[in-house]
Amino acid sequence: MLVRALIDLHVPRERRRWERLLRRAGADAHVRKSREKLLERLARQDFDLLVVDRSSLTPSPEAWFAAVRERPDPPEILVVADRENSADRVLLLASGTLAVLPHTLEDASLLEALAAILQRVGEQASQRLVRERPERRFRLDDFVSDSPAMQTFMRLPRRVAAYDSTVIILGETGVGKERLARSLHGESARTRGPFLAVNCGALPESLLESELFGHEEGAFTGASRAHRGYFEMAHTGTLFLDEIGEMPLHIQVKLLRVLEERVIRRVGGERDVPVDVRIMAASNRDLEAECRRGAFRTDLFFRLAVVMLEVPPLRDRIEDIPRLVEDHLVRARVRTNSPVVRISPEAVEALVAYHWPGNVRELINVLEQACLLGSGPVLRVEDLPSRISRQPGGGRGARPAEPLPPEVLEMSWPDARVEFARRSERAYLVHLLTRSEGRIGKAARAAGISERSLYELMTRNGIKKEAFKVRSKSEA
């Protein structure tokens, strides 16, 4: 996390010196104004480090420290002394001072000491943030796959994980874009820093800018305290911007500046604050199409797309469904306190035959729902949602399946399973385009995928939108 320091020194020359050196060492340094009381300033704005004169601590350092620590999220305290005094130093350190430094230190020595102190304070703040957002460490090895499509895809994330490049992750809703971003962070040199995720489409435009960049006290109506934004909190770590295609254009301009100059300016602020953050972004939209229609900045797209990863949808890696079912069934059983201990082969077949427009997220929800509705130790086809259990090839209790050509019936199960999925995919696309009368935008929205992904599916299945256009009477 970016360390925010407040300087409360009596001598103006020393205040300016410490402000300059703290900023050189990488802190966001502020100076207390002469007319404001220290505790009032701490109540209005969070600080990680407080720099004070030894003379401010009289008559009792313990009482002074206690007053500061009554504040929410109290800062670490660095005391500046007029001279070296071993006995006084021991007293201050025993009272909870982080460090005691003399005024007489030369700039080079003081800068070195401040760099070490800021590193320690920043690490403590980051660890505190991680504790407040507990999570297991994600690794790329979690993406074990039996699917050739997924195995091919995973080669690129493994190659770029250790580097600090900006990454944009594309893919349909529910494919696991945030999980992939967390895994890239977990494999990177920034793994000890925080991973913060913000959904750009979930926050109102009026709040998104403040949440990302922070704001100063009084920046707008209701801003009674200064606010630290996601960029500052993610300092030395990773910031994941989900649904970046929803970001308003004026905020895109500010994000582009962060990527190019590595500084932010808070809402209502007058100066730049340096940040060290790796940016990852994700979208289920076709961002190139958004650029063409002017809804997304082309320069920002190319600045984000240093590495571009497009996660395959679940229907393109049906070989992974049995393994995913096994893994997530255990978790769903625990969450729901269900008596289910295993799943029948017929139910697995029904899950494999389904087209999964909601991808892995939909699969997880289906298993949880089935665990809630199932009454025995074995999860059956009848326990699955009707859209799955009643589909052609949906197992026992399903409608009779369409007759298959003899050559399909002679295939091995792995080959036949791929053919079942291909036929289901084509049938789904035909239904989708028939219902939308060939309108690609409408069909893509109904399927929850980008227009680009829909076009790719149509091309793979030899389907053209013109075949579904409804002709007017004048054309008939």
Side-chain angles (χ1 to χ4, degrees), residues 135-145 150 153-154 157-158 161-162 176-192 195 280 331:
E135 61 183 34
R136 68 181 181 89
R137 182 177 177 183
F138 289 77
R139 306 298 296 266
L140 291 174
D141 287 344
D142 296 339
F143 287 84
V144 178
S145 175
M150 195 64 177
F153 165 75
M154 287 303 299
R158 289 192 173 95
K177 297 186 287 292
E178 182 174 337
R179 185 183 173 198
L180 177 60
R182 290 182 182 275
S183 299
L184 288 168
H185 171 76
E187 301 277 358
S188 73
R190 293 178 177 267
T191 187
R192 296 184 63 185
F195 177 96
M280 297 187 196
R331 298 171 190 172

Side-chain angles (χ1 to χ4, degrees), residues 277-343:
V277 177
R278 184 185 190 184
I279 301 296
M280 297 187 196
S283 178
N284 62 359
R285 293 188 178 187
D286 183 345
L287 291 183
E288 292 178 271
E290 296 293 292
C291 289
R292 288 194 293 272
R293 72 182 188 89
F296 199 82
R297 291 182 63 96
T298 303
D299 48 3
L300 177 58
F301 173 76
F302 287 116
R303 190 65 184 79
L304 287 169
V306 175
V307 177
M308 188 157 58
L309 305 172
E310 186 156 8
V311 185
L314 186 55
R315 63 180 168 276
D316 286 354
R317 47 189 179 104
I318 60 172
E319 299 89 344
D320 291 337
I321 292 177
R323 185 193 294 267
L324 290 169
V325 169
E326 182 179 349
D327 291 345
H328 289 291
L329 183 61
V330 173
R331 298 171 190 172
R333 186 181 69 211
V334 172
R335 283 196 299 270
T336 60
N337 194 26
S338 169
V340 171
V341 294
R342 64 184 179 89
I343 184 170

Side-chain angles (χ1 to χ4, degrees), residues 398-418:
R399 297 196 306 260
E402 296 286 336
L404 292 170
E407 63 269 20
V408 176
L409 297 176
E410 297 299 322
M411 291 179 179
S412 66
W413 167 238
D415 291 341
R417 186 167 62 183
V418 172

